[in-house]
Amino acid sequence: MANVILFLKHIFPFIITLILWYLAIPFWNPAGILALIPIFYYSFVKPKNNYSLFALIFCFLIDYRCNLLLLWTFLFCLFYAINGFQKYFDVSRMDNDAIHIFLLFTGIGCFILTIGGFTFMNMVNNLWLFAWLGILYPPIVAMNKWIEK
């Protein structure tokens, strides 16, 4: 039984990312964008072995569903490279599960999406997306911590 629980703890990051990406609903989870929360958390805050390639693939799949030209994939790679300078930036030891870095990550993406095709409705949609991701980050991270224990 202990081996099954250990296996589920190791596979949980992959499963939650897959579920959040798959449950794409146009207003609440457009193109599975909520999958960015576990992607960010398990890539930068609590890094898991063999998760980075999986996260990169799912950033690409989010871009594919959104008809974007590798925006989230590029941002993920950029933040992954910046995170490599852990002498200056150590995201895994930041307060509040690094929500301010996550908001920077999603804020840059939403800002680029807003100025890329500027209309009032596009601006409102991206503000909603930014706010929604910021609101759902703490509960999803809390759920992830609860599952890990």
Side-chain angles (χ1 to χ4, degrees):
M1 187 63 170
N3 290 338
V4 172
I5 292 172
L6 185 62
F7 175 73
L8 291 175
K9 282 183 181 181
H10 287 298
I11 203 166
F12 178 74
F14 301 96
I15 297 296
I16 192 69
T17 305
L18 184 64
I19 289 170
L20 285 174
W21 177 78
Y22 184 74
L23 295 176
I25 301 168
F27 184 73
W28 299 107
N29 188 12
I33 199 89
L34 290 180
L36 286 177
I37 295 171
I39 286 171
F40 182 85
Y41 183 74
Y42 288 116
S43 295
F44 302 117
V45 181
K46 297 282 185 192
K48 295 286 186 182
N49 292 337
N50 303 322
Y51 188 77
S52 298
L53 179 61
F54 184 78
L56 185 67
I57 290 168
F58 270 86
C59 285
F60 176 77
L61 290 174
I62 291 169
D63 286 334
Y64 180 74
R65 270 194 178 169
C66 290
N67 292 328
L68 297 174
L69 190 61
L70 302 177
L71 172 72
W72 295 111
T73 307
F74 173 75
L75 281 175
F76 176 79
C77 291
L78 178 68
F79 273 71
Y80 197 80
I82 291 171
N83 192 41
F85 298 113
Q86 285 191 356
K87 183 177 180 182
Y88 304 107
F89 305 102
D90 193 4
V91 178
S92 62
R93 295 181 189 208
M94 290 186 172
D95 296 335
N96 299 325
D97 299 312
I99 189 169
H100 52 287
I101 302 297
F102 177 73
L103 291 175
L104 179 69
F105 174 70
T106 57
I108 290 171
C110 290
F111 180 73
I112 291 171
L113 288 173
T114 300
I115 62 171
F118 187 77
T119 62
F120 179 73
M121 199 60 195
N122 189 19
M123 183 180 70
V124 170
N125 284 336
N126 286 314
L127 283 174
W128 161 250
L129 181 65
F130 176 72
W132 189 237
L133 285 168
I135 290 168
L136 289 181
Y137 184 77
I140 291 176
V141 167
M143 181 189 66
N144 291 341
K145 285 181 177 180
W146 180 73
I147 296 286
E148 286 179 357
K149 291 182 181 182

